[in-house]
Amino acid sequence: QVKTQFESRVNSTCDTFKAVAYKTQVVAGVNYFIKVQVSDTEYIHLKVFKSLPYENKGPSLVSFQTGKTRDDPLTYF
């Protein structure tokens, strides 16, 4: 759901965009830290915020880290 948000921030498109791991952090909503495969050897880490259900908002891309590998640990950022 945040692929288009990411692509507009980096001004590029991704043929591959597959989540391979994630962690959550409960706040006033939920922060999701997601490792996403964008090519055969390249990965990115996304921080996505999903607000509480009564706010009726979709997930939003908060920040991201590029240049990651499959073996890079998924950490809070």
Side-chain angles (χ1 to χ4, degrees):
Q1 292 181 349
V2 296
K3 179 182 179 186
T4 55
Q5 294 176 48
F6 173 75
E7 289 174 335
S8 68
R9 288 199 190 175
V10 297
N11 200 26
S12 180
T13 58
C14 301
D15 293 332
T16 303
F17 201 82
K18 178 182 174 187
V20 295
Y22 76 95
K23 291 183 178 185
T24 59
Q25 176 186 40
V26 177
V27 289
V30 180
N31 283 324
Y32 291 91
F33 298 88
I34 308 167
K35 182 183 291 192
V36 177
Q37 183 176 6
V38 293
S39 75
D40 288 343
T41 58
E42 187 179 358
Y43 292 78
I44 59 171
H45 291 179
L46 305 178
K47 180 179 180 181
V48 176
F49 177 72
K50 186 160 185 348
S51 60
L52 295 170
Y54 74 87
E55 294 181 19
N56 202 23
K57 296 179 182 175
S60 67
L61 179 62
V62 176
S63 61
F64 59 89
Q65 298 175 335
T66 59
K68 298 293 185 175
T69 67
R70 181 173 184 80
D71 297 327
D72 285 335
L74 184 58
T75 58
Y76 298 101
F77 60 93

